[in-house]
Amino acid sequence: MPTQPIRERLRGIHAATVTPLTAAFAVDEAALADHVAPLARTPGIRGLLVNGHAGENFTLPRGEKAKALGIVRETVPADCLIVAGVNAESSLDAADQARDAEAMGADAILVFPPNSWALTQDPDVILAHHRIVETATGLPILLYQAPVGAGRMAYAKGVIEALIASPRVVGVKEGSWEIATYEENARLIRARRPDIAVLGSGDEHLLTSYLIGTDGSQVSLAAVVPEQIVALFAAAEAQDWARARAVHEALYPLAAAVYRRAPTGRATARLKTCLKLLGRLASDRVCPPMVSPSPAEIAELEAALAVARAA
């Protein structure tokens, strides 16, 4: 499949969605449809990432992930690009998720590194995992570059070079969450594969990655304040850096409250609470063992939302 058309569709802002849950921790189908429908209609939102980290892809069973994809595909317009997250410890399970994604109408898949790779990085294992997933589906593939603070999950440069050698790879969600590494990896990818989309996806430093250069972003903050994230990208595209800085200043307290405040592993729960505070989600229930935000966290999120929405 040619990479240029999908790269053009990957440009701009793509919202990483959450997964509303019932009391039995199954996908709340009606709530999910209500969540994604207005996002897909927001001017400047080019597509959605479903079953990403914000969608709790590390805890939801395979069947629930497939159900979520089907609901989203039925709900949003046909021209809304849907990228499906594939996250599993087993390569065989990951391959099954990739097949599910294709069957449910996803346009591409984003392959996450298994969480166990935080302990060690074995290039042969990484390449084997991606090959198995690649052979399971005909969909275009995006790679996920994990944060540098996530143990050994962030790929070394040699691994990145080996992975992007596959013509099936059309994009990289560059989530190094450290701007010097982001720039180094972006330069490497563009030198080796200029046809690949590099998506700057550190919600706290979007402005900096946009200044260095990016094709767009797949970010969960765009599921909460989509207009503001779109405005930030539009200002950067126009090289209106004064406007971009102003939007960044308004967004930063929210980004820090969601992603930087300790313990940082509660980001998904905080995103859901933000949507509940905004009246766009009835329940902010999360899959165990994740816990809901504390009263102090909720107060901080509420204040940060007010600042962000004034941008």
Side-chain angles (χ1 to χ4, degrees):
M1 178 177 293
T3 58
Q4 190 60 29
I6 191 72
R7 177 177 177 173
E8 287 307 307
R9 296 186 69 192
L10 286 168
R11 284 196 61 81
I13 301 301
H14 299 249
T17 60
V18 303
T19 306
L21 300 173
T22 67
F25 301 105
V27 174
D28 186 329
E29 300 183 28
L32 178 57
D34 288 344
H35 170 52
V36 299
L39 280 177
R41 293 196 304 266
T42 302
I45 294 294
R46 301 287 305 278
L48 304 175
L49 168 60
V50 182
N51 293 334
H53 284 149
E56 295 172 84
N57 64 7
F58 45 92
T59 49
L60 279 181
R62 173 189 164 194
E64 294 301 300
K65 295 177 191 179
K67 183 195 298 181
L69 274 170
I71 293 164
V72 174
R73 182 72 282 172
E74 290 175 2
T75 302
V76 304
D79 62 352
C80 178
L81 183 79
I82 295 179
V83 177
V86 170
N87 190 354
E89 297 301 314
S90 160
S91 298
L92 301 179
D93 187 12
D96 284 338
Q97 290 182 29
R99 294 185 189 97
D100 291 343
E102 188 163 24
M104 292 298 171
D107 298 294
I109 57 173
L110 170 63
V111 182
F112 288 86
N115 291 336
S116 59
W117 293 357
L119 300 176
T120 184
Q121 184 167 144
D122 183 331
D124 292 337
V125 168
I126 294 169
L127 294 175
H129 182 79
H130 282 82
R131 280 197 300 268
I132 289 169
V133 174
E134 183 174 312
T135 57
T137 172
L139 291 176
I141 294 171
L142 285 79
L143 307 176
Y144 179 76
Q145 175 66 348
V148 295
R152 302 297 303 278
M153 291 175 73
Y155 300 138
K157 290 190 287 296
V159 172
I160 294 173
E161 287 191 87
L163 290 172
I164 64 175
S166 168
R168 292 278 299 287
V169 174
V170 298
V172 178
K173 178 177 165 69
E174 218 303 333
S176 289
W177 224 273
E178 194 277 318
I179 201 64
T181 304
Y182 167 79
E183 181 169 6
E184 185 176 30
N185 289 341
R187 287 177 178 272
L188 170 67
I189 294 164
R190 287 177 175 137
R192 301 292 188 272
R193 286 284 307 276
D195 57 318
I196 284 180
V198 179
L199 309 176
S201 297
D203 298 70
E204 292 176 83
H205 52 256
L206 291 177
L207 173 60
T208 318
S209 63
Y210 293 171
L211 182 62
I212 292 169
T214 186
D215 292 298
S217 293
Q218 288 178 329
V219 285
S220 48
L221 212 56
V224 176
V225 283
E227 294 88 355
Q228 286 76 11
I229 300 297
V230 167
L232 176 61
F233 185 75
E237 286 276 272
Q239 297 190 26
D240 184 350
W241 299 115
R243 170 60 177 157
R245 181 58 185 263
V247 178
H248 169 77
E249 288 296 324
L251 284 169
Y252 187 79
L254 181 60
V258 172
Y259 305 102
R260 182 163 292 273
R261 192 189 206 275
T264 56
R266 296 185 187 178
T268 296
R270 292 166 183 160
L271 291 165
K272 284 188 166 182
T273 295
C274 284
L275 290 167
K276 184 178 179 181
L277 289 169
L278 293 170
R280 302 209 297 264
L281 204 62
S283 169
D284 57 357
R285 185 179 293 109
V286 288
C287 280
M290 191 178 293
V291 298
S292 297
S294 67
E297 290 174 87
I298 294 172
E300 185 179 1
L301 291 169
E302 192 165 22
L305 279 169
V307 174
R309 297 184 77 200

